[in-house]
């Protein structure tokens, strides 16, 4: 019988321990629930009333140390370098052939036609010319004007010797400059009021037509 009583005592003790554990668990659950309530209360916005107006204070969840990332400024494209202007070297003038005769006459070919079928001025042929006659000072003393041409027969003495020599060999369309000494022009006498005696003459001539 004593043994039975001891067993009953042990069982009661176990029951008491289980109840105590349950009580502890319930207390823990109560504590956790209360903690959650406190957290919810902390997160809830503070509401005040002033003059019939409800004011809610909302906390900024951002940390004080947080800063917005600095906006990246667009990199400025480098300005293209100005290229130094390279000036083309001046075009070299083609060498103009010259022909010097006795008595100091000079013939300068200023333009040569590309027309291979153009007629050539030869002694005895009739030719039509355009010209400008100038003194060494540059003063013009005679010239053809407008559509007028000067016509003569080449090589028979109808014009001064400088012309007979200077025009021969030209093709229709050719241009020349004739620098004629006084000996092949109007000599020592010249032309009164027009060409001084002993003066050289400059003629820019163009062969228009060979008849």
């Amino acid at each position: 019988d004593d043994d039975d009583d001891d067993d009953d005592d042990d069982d009661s003790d176990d029951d008491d321990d289980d109840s105590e554990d349950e009580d502890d668990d319930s207390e823990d659950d109560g504590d956790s629930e209360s903690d959650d309530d406190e957290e919810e209360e902390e997160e809830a916005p503070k509401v005040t009333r002033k003059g019939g107006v409800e004011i809610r204070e909302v906390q900024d969840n951002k940390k004080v140390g947080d800063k917005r990332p600095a906006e990246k400024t667009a990199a400025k494209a480098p300005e293209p370098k100005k290229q130094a202007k390279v000036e083309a070297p001046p075009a070299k003038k083609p060498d103009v052939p010259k022909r010097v005769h006795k008595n100091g006459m000079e013939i300068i070919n200023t333009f040569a036609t590309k027309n291979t079928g153009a007629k050539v001025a030869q002694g005895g042929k009739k030719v039509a010319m355009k010209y400008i006659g100038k003194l060494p000072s540059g003063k013009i003393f005679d010239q053809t004007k407008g559509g007028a041409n000067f016509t003569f027969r080449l090589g028979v003495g109808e014009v001064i010797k400088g012309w007979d020599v200077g025009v021969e060999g030209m093709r229709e369309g050719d241009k020349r400059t004739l620098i004629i000494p006084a000996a092949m022009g109007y000599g020592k006498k010249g032309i009164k009021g027009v060409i001084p005696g002993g003066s050289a003459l400059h003629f820019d001539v163009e062969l228009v037509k060979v008849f």
Side-chain angles (χ1 to χ4, degrees), residues 22-208:
E22 289 176 358
D23 291 340
D24 291 339
D25 293 340
S26 62
E27 287 177 1
D28 292 339
D29 292 341
D31 291 341
S32 63
E33 288 177 1
S34 63
D35 291 340
D36 293 340
D37 293 340
E38 288 177 0
E39 289 178 1
E40 289 178 359
E41 288 177 1
E42 288 178 0
E43 293 177 357
K46 185 177 180 182
V47 180
T48 58
R49 294 181 179 278
K50 189 174 182 181
V53 179
E54 186 177 284
I55 301 173
R56 292 176 180 268
E57 295 182 6
V58 181
Q59 293 182 353
D60 190 359
N61 293 328
K62 293 183 179 179
K63 295 181 180 179
V64 176
D66 292 343
K67 294 184 179 180
R68 291 184 178 181
E71 295 181 358
K72 293 183 179 181
T73 56
K76 187 176 180 182
E79 296 181 358
K81 293 182 179 180
K82 293 182 179 180
Q83 294 182 351
K85 188 177 179 181
V86 179
E87 295 183 359
K92 185 179 179 181
K93 293 183 180 180
D95 294 333
V96 179
K98 297 181 180 180
R99 188 172 67 195
V100 179
H101 289 267
K102 292 180 179 180
N103 301 322
M105 180 176 176
E106 189 174 2
I107 299 172
I108 303 170
N109 297 299
T110 56
F111 179 79
T113 183
K114 294 181 180 180
N115 181 7
T116 56
K119 294 180 181 180
V120 180
Q122 295 175 342
K125 294 282 187 180
K126 192 175 181 179
V127 296
M129 307 289 296
K130 288 186 180 297
Y131 71 91
I132 298 175
K134 295 177 285 187
L135 299 175
S137 63
K139 180 181 178 181
I140 297 175
F141 64 85
D142 193 14
Q143 64 181 325
T144 54
K145 296 179 180 179
N149 296 323
F150 174 63
T151 304
F152 68 99
R153 193 169 296 278
L154 185 62
V156 295
E158 291 184 0
V159 291
I160 58 176
K161 189 175 182 179
W163 269 62
D164 277 338
V165 173
V167 173
E168 188 172 5
M170 292 179 70
R171 291 180 176 271
E172 292 174 330
D174 284 356
K175 296 180 182 179
R176 288 180 177 177
T177 295
L178 310 178
I179 301 175
I180 303 172
M184 299 179 72
Y186 294 96
K188 294 180 180 180
K189 293 182 179 180
I191 298 176
K192 188 176 180 179
V194 180
I195 300 174
S199 176
L201 304 174
H202 292 204
F203 284 95
D204 294 323
V205 299
E206 176 184 358
L207 178 58
V208 178

